[in-house]
Amino acid sequence: MAYKNKEDKAAYNKKWAAENADKKAAHNKKYNDANKKKTAAHAKIYRAENKEKLAEIDKLYRAANPLKEKEKDLRRRANKKGNGIFTISKRFMRNLYNSPCVSCGASERIEADHLIPIVKGGRHSEGNLQPLCKSCNSSKGPKLWIEFVAEKKGSQRKLMV
């Protein structure tokens, strides 16, 4: 088939790729499986040559998907400690980040807090998460929730006296 110009050829290729997505995916998988070392070497070179471009794409993705990134970090930390990771629904996480802080009632800068911290053997699961604002979560640190509440009540009593 003869093309009038590069744009016509590009348009034809784009249309063909859209119409034959599974055929193309199967071909790519077959090629990649047969040429693992070659594709890995190519990917390594590409990443080295396009570091800034890939960093910008990553930055844009993180900005567009903040909840995914927070969840990914929490899962990574729990996995590193070996405490156990459970599937947490997107709906649960969205509700958690849209809930007020259970300590002070603030609704800005909400973070997912573990009642039993990961560093103290807590699991990354829906039953062990609660919404805390950044300030309260920073003050709580690696304490158990009950320790944090007791400490907070103790400091309030001192102020009353």
Side-chain angles (χ1 to χ4, degrees):
M1 176 181 264
Y3 301 101
K4 292 179 185 174
N5 54 38
K6 287 182 182 180
E7 291 81 20
D8 286 350
K9 184 175 181 179
Y12 172 81
N13 288 339
K14 190 173 184 178
K15 181 181 174 191
W16 184 91
E19 292 171 354
N20 298 287
D22 1 332
K23 197 176 193 181
K24 187 173 178 169
H27 175 269
N28 288 346
K29 182 173 176 19
K30 186 178 174 183
Y31 178 85
N32 288 338
D33 289 346
N35 298 286
K36 283 187 186 218
K37 287 182 181 177
K38 186 178 178 180
T39 55
H42 177 71
K44 189 175 183 178
I45 292 167
Y46 180 83
R47 285 191 302 271
E49 291 174 352
N50 296 285
K51 221 171 200 169
E52 292 86 22
K53 179 181 175 181
L54 293 173
E56 185 60 32
I57 290 169
D58 189 48
K59 187 178 177 182
L60 292 171
Y61 176 83
R62 288 172 185 270
N65 301 288
L67 297 181
K68 268 188 185 177
E69 289 303 310
K70 286 180 183 179
E71 173 64 13
K72 193 167 117 180
D73 183 54
L74 294 172
R75 289 176 61 79
R76 180 193 58 77
R77 287 178 46 231
N79 191 33
K80 192 174 177 182
K81 275 290 191 182
N83 299 350
I85 299 171
F86 297 89
T87 303
I88 299 173
S89 70
K90 290 178 186 177
R91 183 183 215 172
F92 177 85
M93 292 305 287
R94 190 171 39 250
N95 288 342
L96 184 130
Y97 287 116
N98 290 323
S99 300
C101 174
V102 295
S103 180
C104 70
S107 55
E108 274 94 44
R109 301 173 69 197
I110 297 298
E111 296 182 347
D113 172 63
H114 293 87
L115 295 162
I116 301 170
I118 290 172
V119 297
K120 290 194 175 180
R123 295 187 173 186
H124 183 61
S125 65
E126 289 182 7
N128 194 34
L129 290 172
Q130 66 179 350
L132 281 185
C133 67
K134 187 168 182 69
S135 173
C136 290
N137 199 15
S138 296
S139 339
K140 178 182 172 272
K143 298 179 202 124
L144 295 170
W145 174 246
I146 197 149
E147 294 171 336
F148 175 68
V149 171
E151 185 180 279
K152 195 172 177 183
K153 284 183 179 179
S155 64
Q156 287 176 347
R157 286 189 187 132
K158 288 177 186 175
L159 291 174
M160 294 174 148
V161 176

